[in-house]
Amino acid sequence: MNNHEDEVYLTGYHYDAVYKEQVVPENQGHPYIEALPDRLSGDELFEVLYSTPKFKGDLSKVDIEDRLALVQQVRKSFWLPLSSHFYRYRQFYNMIKIGYQSRNPFSPIFNRQYVLGLDKVLKGGIDDKGRNIAGVNHTAEGFADIGLSGMGKTITNKRILQLFPQVIHHKSYKGRQLTRTQVVWLHIECPSSKSVGQLSRNFFTAVDKALGPGSKYYEKYAEKGGTIEVLAARMVKVAYEINLGVLLIDEIQKVHRAHSGGDERMIEFITELTNTIGIPVVIVGTFKSLYLFNKSLANTRRAIPDSYIENITDRMIEGETEEEDIKTEWDDFIEALWEHQYTLKYVPIDISFKKAMYHHSVGIPDIAVKLFMHVQCQAIINGIERITEKLIESVANKSLKLLQPIFERVRMGESAALIEFEDIKPDWTEFNEYLKEATHRIYVHGKLAQEHDRAIQQKNSTQILEDLIQFGLKMTNSPELAESIAHKVFEASSGMGQLDAMYQQVAQMVMDKSNVVNRSQKKNNVTQFPKLNKSNTELPLLETSDIRYIVKIGNQNKKSVEESLSDAGLIKDPIEFYYRIR
């Protein structure tokens, strides 16, 4: 009997297949891909993901208890889509389609796996060219979402998954019978028991919940018992049988190395799903789960696939200050949240409020939302009926009392001292070494990305100076001028300024110097040359590839020097310097 009825499993909607024409040739003639919904545009995605508390009435007519109840709805109802969420949706959408490409039910080579038997296919693994023993070279990709607790990883992935149908029912395709059930996605959580065997049981329960009444996978495969290896093998076979599009495993850090080699089995399981039978896997967890990947690096035959992508997310970067008005996602987030005040006196947000909220939440959205709610409740109960900086500090010191000592160490940059708080921040030395050794693609977001970029930049100061000089040479024929300006810009920050800003400064200084020289030459030579007849065709003074021309056109289009050079691909990404030393 299924003993997980009391657990909550994420479910989605069912859908009868409607096939749509595909632009990408590799997706054409594939029923599982053609049955997927059309990709949402940025505006459409924002519209379906954005949510906000629904109350729009007159607060002066609402009593205290009801206003306190309205405050409690903020955490439940408020959700602001950010650029990182659009990126994540694109990852899911592309990954599901690409994962299905090698699993066309009408492909003879794909169906050969059924003839050979999935047990043999799994046992045979893949060869040096990535093909299994049936000759199928699977196209599955996957990614990991690793990061700080409270950044909204789980809710983001859940909201995105529910944009897709969970189950698609096929009957026929272009006149050919196709009685198949396609489970587009499954979401499961690692159990608190930290066992891979229990994870398998959770999987069978999730399949039954998705397919509905009549589905007996738990009864058929989990209740029979068996070793961890047997249960994991059954899980792989069921994923193949239900034509699974993507499997998301949440709370991956719970699969602990101390429990019967759980980490090794997890890596082997992910590899089997992704490489051998072509099912994409997404794993979500805190910084504690980094050891899973680190372990896999020791043995390249068991390492996670080269196509794997790892997203590592740290707390948000603080935004605009009194000195500069550069906005970040933190500004967008806190400004949108600030609108939901249920005190009788509305207080507009300003830089000082942003700074106070960031200081006490250290840029963690979940903490910021809770603090915002507690502050409002306190203001309402005490009769102050307005948010003040003093109130924010008072509430933070009481409501977040246990977190503040940890946050203070984070503010001081004591990353090495925070190893015991792995959910807050990984040890920097180990993390940096991990980034160097990893063979898969890694994208770092937030404050951790800033620290990583600065570490890379510091190690490559000589290369940065050389690149600034070469950049200057693209704008002037004078090596002396390019070198002089590059040195000035570099030394102004000891090479630790923002790279795009340094490139922009070099470009601006070279252009200013060139304009001075050109005006001087024009003044000195004005009587030395006869006037030329004006051509009917006005030719450009500069080549279109010339940086000065690019900046000039950008200026006409109301773009900054930085935007113009970035659009032309002339400003380097800091991560390039990292890959040069690998």
Side-chain angles (χ1 to χ4, degrees), residues 246-307:
V246 62
L247 173 66
L248 188 146
I249 305 174
D250 207 348
E251 304 291 345
I252 194 73
Q253 72 277 359
K254 290 182 180 178
V255 177
H256 201 275
R257 70 194 83 180
H259 289 255
S260 305
D263 52 347
E264 294 183 12
R265 284 185 170 87
M266 181 57 66
I267 290 297
E268 290 171 353
F269 168 70
I270 291 173
T271 302
E272 279 190 340
L273 274 178
T274 306
N275 285 352
T276 311
I277 65 171
I279 295 175
V281 178
V282 173
I283 63 175
V284 181
T286 66
F287 289 131
K288 285 182 180 179
S289 54
L290 285 173
Y291 77 85
L292 276 170
F293 299 98
N294 219 357
K295 181 81 173 179
S296 74
L297 299 175
N299 187 333
T300 55
R301 292 187 65 186
R302 280 203 321 236
I304 51 182
D306 291 337
S307 61

Side-chain angles (χ1 to χ4, degrees), residues 530-563:
K531 290 185 178 180
L532 298 176
N533 292 327
K534 188 174 181 180
S535 171
N536 292 331
T537 304
E538 192 170 324
L539 298 175
L541 297 177
L542 301 169
E543 295 290 336
T544 57
S545 59
D546 191 301
I547 292 178
R548 291 167 293 178
Y549 179 79
I550 292 170
V551 172
K552 180 180 178 181
I553 295 301
N555 185 53
Q556 293 174 359
N557 293 324
K558 301 189 182 303
K559 292 183 179 180
S560 67
V561 173
E562 178 186 349
E563 290 173 325

Side-chain angles (χ1 to χ4, degrees), residues 319-525:
E320 61 179 351
T321 64
E322 293 178 359
E323 291 77 26
E324 53 185 4
D325 59 354
I326 300 174
K327 281 200 168 188
T328 66
E329 285 192 340
W330 167 259
D331 291 296
D332 294 333
F333 168 78
I334 199 66
E335 287 172 7
L337 176 64
W338 203 258
E339 290 299 310
H340 303 293
Q341 296 180 41
Y342 298 103
T343 52
L344 293 180
K345 300 173 183 176
Y346 177 84
V347 179
I349 195 167
D350 58 23
I351 291 176
S352 61
F353 279 123
K354 289 183 183 181
K355 191 175 182 64
M357 290 294 293
Y358 188 89
H359 177 81
H360 292 293
S361 68
V362 296
I364 301 174
D366 187 56
I367 300 296
V369 170
K370 290 175 181 175
L371 176 58
F372 183 64
M373 292 167 57
H374 289 174
V375 168
Q376 288 198 67
C377 288
Q378 195 66 34
I380 293 171
I381 292 171
N382 290 346
I384 302 172
E385 292 291 355
R386 63 178 297 158
I387 299 173
T388 66
E389 289 181 53
K390 185 177 180 180
L391 185 60
I392 292 173
E393 182 175 3
S394 173
V395 171
N397 290 336
K398 292 178 182 178
S399 300
L400 307 178
K401 185 177 180 179
L402 295 178
L403 289 174
Q404 289 308 318
I406 302 174
F407 285 178
E408 187 58 33
R409 296 172 72 180
V410 173
R411 295 182 197 111
M412 295 173 65
E414 295 181 20
S415 55
L418 290 172
I419 191 168
E420 68 269 34
F421 304 115
E422 291 177 271
D423 280 355
I424 296 294
K425 192 173 184 179
D427 175 66
W428 173 251
T429 303
E430 289 186 6
F431 179 70
N432 217 27
E433 288 303 312
Y434 169 72
L435 292 179
K436 292 179 184 178
E437 294 178 18
T439 56
H440 55 284
R441 288 173 288 173
I442 298 178
Y443 298 102
V444 187
H445 311 277
K447 292 290 288 185
L448 209 55
Q450 280 190 329
E451 294 178 22
H452 179 56
D453 289 345
R454 288 181 68 81
I456 295 168
Q457 196 167 334
Q458 201 164 25
K459 288 182 179 179
N460 294 275
S461 57
T462 302
Q463 182 64 56
I464 291 171
L465 178 57
E466 291 177 3
D467 285 337
L468 288 173
I469 293 172
Q470 291 301 316
F471 182 76
L473 282 171
K474 291 181 179 180
M475 300 184 66
T476 177
N477 293 325
S478 171
E480 294 81 8
L481 178 61
E483 187 170 348
S484 173
I485 289 176
H487 273 281
K488 286 181 181 178
V489 171
F490 181 85
E491 290 168 4
S493 64
S494 299
M496 293 305 294
Q498 291 186 1
L499 289 177
D500 53 356
M502 287 197 286
Y503 280 111
Q504 182 179 356
Q505 288 172 351
V506 169
Q508 192 64 58
M509 290 174 71
V510 172
M511 289 180 64
D512 291 345
K513 191 70 174 178
S514 297
N515 289 336
V516 170
V517 172
N518 289 338
R519 284 196 297 269
S520 177
Q521 289 177 344
K522 182 177 180 181
K523 183 177 180 180
N524 293 335
N525 298 334

